């Protein structure tokens, strides 16, 4: 099994640790998952913790980068290789990640903002449009 590198961000690394210690429930009332992508430059596996919402069978993410003007590394990684590993609770599965289409983005963006209002604040403070990502489970 290849080595997985957790986010170098101290807050995110701590969140991943709490996720593992609590069986995938680090923050009661918040839907968190672990996303593992393949580094676009290094090829190494990279893991981060993210808030998600459900849309049918899909898992929806906002690539907000906490309101930074640049895209988060995990988003750039999945653009290069859309096959990712997802852990929700204690379940781990393979998914294919894609950026929401222009048509579906408004509805999915509202879904994410209804879950975490800070996304709207982040969007107001930057010039880039925060991508909305859909994770669709694939059969192993």
């Amino acid at each position: 099994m290849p080595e997985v590198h957790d986010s170098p961000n101290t807050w995110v690394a701590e969140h991943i640790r709490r996720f593992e210690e609590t069986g995938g429930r680090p923050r009661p009332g918040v839907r968190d998952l672990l996303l593992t992508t393949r580094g676009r430059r290094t090829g190494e596996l990279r893991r981060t913790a993210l808030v998600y919402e459900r849309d049918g069978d899909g898992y929806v993410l906002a690539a907000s980068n906490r309101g930074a003007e640049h895209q988060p590394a995990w988003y750039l990684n999945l653009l290069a290789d859309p096959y990712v590993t997802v852990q929700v609770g204690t379940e781990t599965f393979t998914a294919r990640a894609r950026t929401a289409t222009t048509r579906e983005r408004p509805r999915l963006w509202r879904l994410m903002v209804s879950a975490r209002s800070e996304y709207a604040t982040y969007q107001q403070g930057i010039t880039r449009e925060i991508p909305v990502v859909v994770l669709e489970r694939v059969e192993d």
Side-chain angles (χ1 to χ4, degrees):
M1 195 75 186
E3 183 179 4
V4 176
H5 301 274
D6 288 342
S7 172
N9 178 303
T10 304
W11 183 87
V12 177
E14 176 62 20
H15 191 88
I16 292 168
R17 186 188 62 73
R18 282 192 320 271
F19 187 100
E20 291 178 326
E21 288 175 350
T22 62
R25 300 192 182 284
R27 300 184 293 173
V30 178
R31 293 179 169 183
D32 290 302
L33 60 73
L34 298 183
L35 178 72
T36 303
T37 61
R38 184 162 303 279
R40 65 197 175 283
R41 292 187 298 244
T42 65
E44 295 177 342
L45 297 177
R46 304 284 184 188
R47 184 167 63 168
T48 193
L50 299 164
V51 171
Y52 75 91
E53 282 298 314
R54 293 298 306 263
D55 184 56
D57 291 337
Y59 295 79
V60 182
L61 312 171
S64 69
N65 207 12
R66 300 184 88 184
E69 196 59 58
H70 57 278
Q71 305 288 17
W74 64 263
Y75 178 71
L76 298 173
N77 289 343
L78 66 80
L79 290 177
D81 181 353
Y83 291 94
V84 298
T85 302
V86 180
Q87 182 177 347
V88 176
T90 58
E91 180 186 17
T92 301
F93 57 92
T94 301
R96 185 174 189 284
R98 64 178 180 81
T99 304
T101 66
T102 303
R103 186 172 183 189
E104 66 189 341
R105 187 188 184 282
R107 177 180 62 80
L108 296 177
W109 176 250
R110 286 190 302 274
L111 176 69
M112 294 307 296
V113 169
S114 71
R116 305 295 296 182
S117 62
E118 61 262 41
Y119 290 136
T121 304
Y122 295 159
Q123 185 62 82
Q124 291 170 357
I126 58 177
T127 58
R128 72 176 175 95
E129 181 177 77
I130 294 173
V132 175
V133 174
V134 179
L135 304 175
E136 298 167 327
R137 187 184 297 250
V138 297
E139 297 301 320
D140 291 328

